[in-house]
Amino acid sequence: MKETDREAVATAVQRVAGMLQRPDQLDKVEQYRRREARKKASVEARLKAAIQSQLDGVRTGLSQLHNALNDVGDIQQSLADVSKDWRQSINTIESLRDVKDAVVQHSQLAAAVENLKNIFSVPEIVRETQDLIEQGALLQAHRKLMDLECSRDGLMYEQYRMDSGNTRDMALIHSYFGSTQGLSDELAKQLWMVLQRSLVTVRRDPTLLVSVVRIIEREEKIDRRILDRKKQTGFVPPGRPKNWKEKMFAILERTVTTRIEGTQADTRESDKMWLVRHLEIVRKYVLDDLIVAKNLMVQCFPPHYEIFKNLLNMYHRALSTRMQELAAEDLEANEIVSLLTWVLNTHRSAEMMGNVELAPEVDVSTLEPLLSPHVVSELLDTYMSTLTSNIIAWLRKALETDKKDWVKETEPEADQDGYYQTTLPAIVFQMFEQNLQVAAQISEDLKTKVLVLCLQQMNSFLSRYKEEAQLFKEEHLRNRQHPHCYVQYMIAVINNCQTFKESIVSLKRKYLKNEVEEGMSPSQPSMDGILDAIAQEGCSGLLEEVFLDLEQHLNELMTKKWLLGSNAVDIICVTVEDYFNDFAKIKKPYKKRMTAEAHRRVVVEYLRAVLQKRISFRSPDERKEGAEKMVREAEQLRFLFRKLASGCGEDADGHCDTIVAVAEVIKLTDPSLLYLEVSTLVSKYPDIRDEHIGALLAVRGDASRDMKQTIIESLEQGPTQASPSYVPLFRDIAVPSLNVAKLLK
């Protein structure tokens, strides 16, 4: 207390010091004293009021506690009295059982009296309800039905509450209201009929569909109320819960499934395009139905029904089931393609689920696949297996058809540039194109696999094509009169090889997009090699045909008849030119090679005629005459092949120079220069062998044995290396029945 007084005094001193800091403030001391006195009086008054309020509250609280204590005592006494009375009356309760039974009976009678009007009107309400159902007034019929069910359920509940074990009375009530359940079932049938035709009804009479939904909603509310009461009382009326909402969705599910399954109007036996038609009808129906559901049906159902989402899921499940059923059937290759194209592409495209009219409710990225990857893989394997067999059969059939054309009496067709051709390449690659276009509709991966398959089968096909072309040539050589247009069709076969090459390159460029896919296909050089071999065989066969006709005239060369004035070379030139008029129908790459080969072979045959020692010149004049004739004929041949090669860009001069060089050796008049001339010849043509030199010297007829031996031995000491561009001519020339020893003699 003293400490508080000291703090109060110190505070007062500070306040006074603050008030009297200047001399002029002393005049206001009395004013300051009155102000502080007022403040002190005010604080004391508030303090007194607060203390008085606290005291009043304590006094009131004590009074209430005292009263509560008295009340507790009174209650305790009352409870003791009640307990005493209960113990005294416990034996008298048994004597009141009759009263209890009377109360129950009275309650039942009261309920019966209360529902008496409804009970007596049940038959009439049943008839009215039946009439309303037949008239299609479903809402009014349901209202009547609800009244009947309410009366029945009320009576049964009262009976259950009063005497749950009395099954006889419960059965009596149930029997009396027995037609109620029949009416409920009949009304349900009408509702289900409307729901089954809901997509039609919503466009023609949406009010009817709304009425059905309202009835189902009423029943759902009644079901919920009854289930809630069951938790409290355990009583459930007969036929409850009806679960009409659940049944409604089950009906819609069956309707959707039936609609999808019912779209197949044809079978494979009646229409080869049955699956395409079936899938197109399914696509159209599903799209139309979902658009109607999105735009119209959602307005007839409460939002919490999510009717569009549920219908979308139903259609998806039905489609998936139907696609699996179709996939399980024994489908042909084109049917597998149609199914996979529809499942993998059409289903999610703008023509169906991706249609703008279904957005944004339908997001194709969230849709589950209609077929599992395993089923898709099995279908693709089946398709590839079937396609392999089909391609092999198609290629075999195409080749057989082409072979039949080879023996026709009419020439083959020519393309726009005038080159002979058959329809084989067009048929083969049209077939490949069709299959690749179909595969591309399904997936890029399948397209690549089909292309690889086509090229693999093409590789095998070309081997068979080569064999057939060889047989064609051999059969003709056995009987040159047959077939009539052998040359023309062999030209067509050769041209087909070039067409095949170009088509393969075009196909790979069009359908292979990267190096990885390129590496999966058979190598181009492999097929090019087979095609070049076929063309080479064809060209060889045609040249064989030419030289069979030239054989007689080639045999006249370097004979006495030839020296005396044979026109064999003229005939050779005319014959070759005539054949090459037909060979002009060969495409340029092969025509160029063929012209070069014909040029080489004619020169080789000419040289062979020289070296076969058909003639031996007796005098310098004969040698000069023969050599000059050889030079003239070489120029004839040069002119011919220059003319033939003019359209091919081929050098036609080189080979004929060999004949001129040989003629120079024969023409030489000074035998002492013979070694030098022969050396020059050998240096130009390194493939000349000893027997060739011996035969050439024998044709001259003036070389002595020692000279021949010296020349040959000298040439053997210094073999000449051939240049890389040199085309051997003497290598293929044999000198029959003449060896070096004989020539030296």
Side-chain angles (χ1 to χ4, degrees), residues 472-489:
F472 180 52
K473 182 180 79 170
E474 293 173 358
E475 289 175 3
H476 173 72
L477 291 177
R478 284 195 290 269
N479 179 8
R480 294 185 63 203
Q481 302 303 316
H482 181 79
H484 180 69
C485 296
Y486 166 77
V487 172
Q488 290 81 359
Y489 277 101

Side-chain angles (χ1 to χ4, degrees), residues 342-377:
W342 197 92
V343 168
L344 300 178
N345 299 325
T346 304
H347 175 244
R348 295 171 179 265
S349 70
E351 297 177 352
M352 196 172 176
M353 293 303 186
N355 193 283
V356 292
E357 294 192 49
L358 298 179
E361 284 78 357
V362 178
D363 183 1
V364 294
S365 63
T366 63
L367 294 176
E368 293 293 326
L370 295 177
L371 292 176
S372 67
H374 175 68
V375 174
V376 172
S377 178

Side-chain angles (χ1 to χ4, degrees), residues 102-165:
V103 170
V104 170
Q105 185 178 8
H106 180 271
S107 181
Q108 291 175 341
L109 292 172
V113 170
E114 183 179 350
N115 291 282
L116 194 60
K117 181 179 179 181
N118 291 337
I119 291 172
F120 284 139
S121 62
V122 164
E124 182 182 353
I125 296 175
V126 168
R127 286 193 299 272
E128 292 176 356
T129 306
Q130 185 67 46
D131 292 340
L132 290 171
I133 292 174
E134 292 175 356
Q135 295 168 11
L138 302 182
L139 278 176
Q140 295 90 326
H142 185 250
R143 173 60 63 187
K144 297 282 186 181
L145 179 62
M146 288 173 62
D147 292 340
L148 287 172
E149 289 179 339
C150 183
S151 299
R152 180 198 64 187
D153 296 347
L155 289 172
M156 295 183 78
Y157 175 67
E158 289 297 329
Q159 177 61 38
Y160 176 84
R161 188 168 62 87
M162 298 302 175
D163 186 6
S164 60

